[in-house]
Amino acid sequence: MTRRLVLASNNAKKLLELQALFAPLGLELVTQGSLGIPEAEEPYPTFVENALTKARHAARASGGAAIADDSGLCVDSLGGAPGVLSARYATLFGGRRDDAENNAALLRQLGDRTDRRARFVCVLAAVRGADDPEPLIAMGRWEGSVLAEPRGEAGFGYDPLMFIASLGKSVAELGAEEKNRLSHRALAARQMLQLMQEVWFGRE
């Protein structure tokens, strides 16, 4: 089993986070963009379906193993939105696909709602090949609430708006090491590492 995994994303910040999280298995992550692989469509309403679609697309184009991350913010009082549309939420309202515009769109949609409970969700899907009948799927959830205005300079996406009460900070106020220990992506990655060790590398 190869120790190289094609990451079905061209997000440099996601790559850095996942590289750190997958270091214990000695996995080499390369982005699909560096191999000339275009991004897959994400037509489904769930993180699981989109992650698996992206992983199979990258595996088919690269001829090897691939992993995909589909993640986003789900806000209770918005019926789970932005959800799978988190990265392009502002475009639903005439804005650009941009972190700052997405954050502004979310605050406008929330308005003066008092229920601001939310969670970051991450699904990781990994396949040994495009037609792998036994994909590995892991999910992480990180509970918090949406602030009235952004706080902090670190991270990306909705990190400046996501407040973690137990820490007394927004996600954008956390250091990279702390975020990589606690985040939805970290939780999903730990599950995935265990699955890979048991199902993939345990058979070597």
Side-chain angles (χ1 to χ4, degrees):
M1 174 66 202
T2 180
R3 293 277 173 161
R4 189 184 86 158
L5 274 178
V6 176
L7 175 62
S9 171
N10 295 321
N11 186 317
K13 293 181 179 178
K14 276 190 182 181
L15 175 66
L16 286 173
E17 284 190 5
L18 288 169
Q19 280 176 328
L21 293 166
F22 281 90
L25 277 184
L27 290 168
E28 177 195 2
L29 265 66
V30 297
T31 62
Q32 61 185 8
S34 69
L35 301 176
I37 301 171
E39 292 190 356
E41 295 294 322
E42 301 175 48
Y44 299 107
T46 71
F47 296 112
V48 172
E49 290 169 299
N50 285 326
L52 188 52
T53 296
K54 291 190 287 187
R56 291 198 187 282
H57 169 80
R60 182 168 290 108
S62 67
I67 188 167
D69 161 304
D70 202 52
S71 53
L73 180 68
C74 296
V75 181
D76 286 352
S77 64
L78 297 180
V84 297
L85 301 177
S86 291
R88 54 187 185 277
Y89 192 51
T91 67
L92 303 180
F93 311 102
R96 291 178 290 112
R97 182 170 176 157
D98 171 87
D99 284 353
E101 293 213 12
N102 287 334
N103 279 267
L106 176 62
L107 291 178
R108 286 195 300 272
Q109 293 307 303
L110 272 171
D112 59 359
R113 286 179 171 86
T114 55
D115 181 1
R116 303 177 82 85
R117 291 173 298 169
R119 71 202 52 80
F120 275 136
V121 178
C122 173
V123 170
L124 292 174
V127 293
R128 289 165 288 195
D131 299 318
D132 188 349
E134 190 181 3
L136 304 181
I137 296 175
M139 177 177 283
R141 293 182 175 88
W142 200 12
E143 300 288 337
S145 59
V146 180
L147 292 164
E149 59 184 26
R151 279 174 44 179
E153 302 296 329
F156 60 96
Y158 297 93
D159 288 357
L161 287 181
M162 186 62 159
F163 182 73
I164 309 300
S166 61
L167 302 175
K169 297 178 180 179
S170 77
V171 175
E173 294 175 308
L174 303 179
E177 185 177 339
E178 189 173 20
K179 182 182 178 184
N180 279 347
R181 188 176 72 251
L182 302 172
S183 75
H184 53 309
R185 193 164 290 112
L187 294 171
R190 283 197 286 273
Q191 290 179 25
M192 181 59 75
L193 285 172
Q194 184 176 351
L195 286 169
M196 285 180 170
Q197 188 64 63
E198 293 174 356
V199 180
W200 287 8
F201 303 124
R203 296 175 182 175
E204 291 182 345

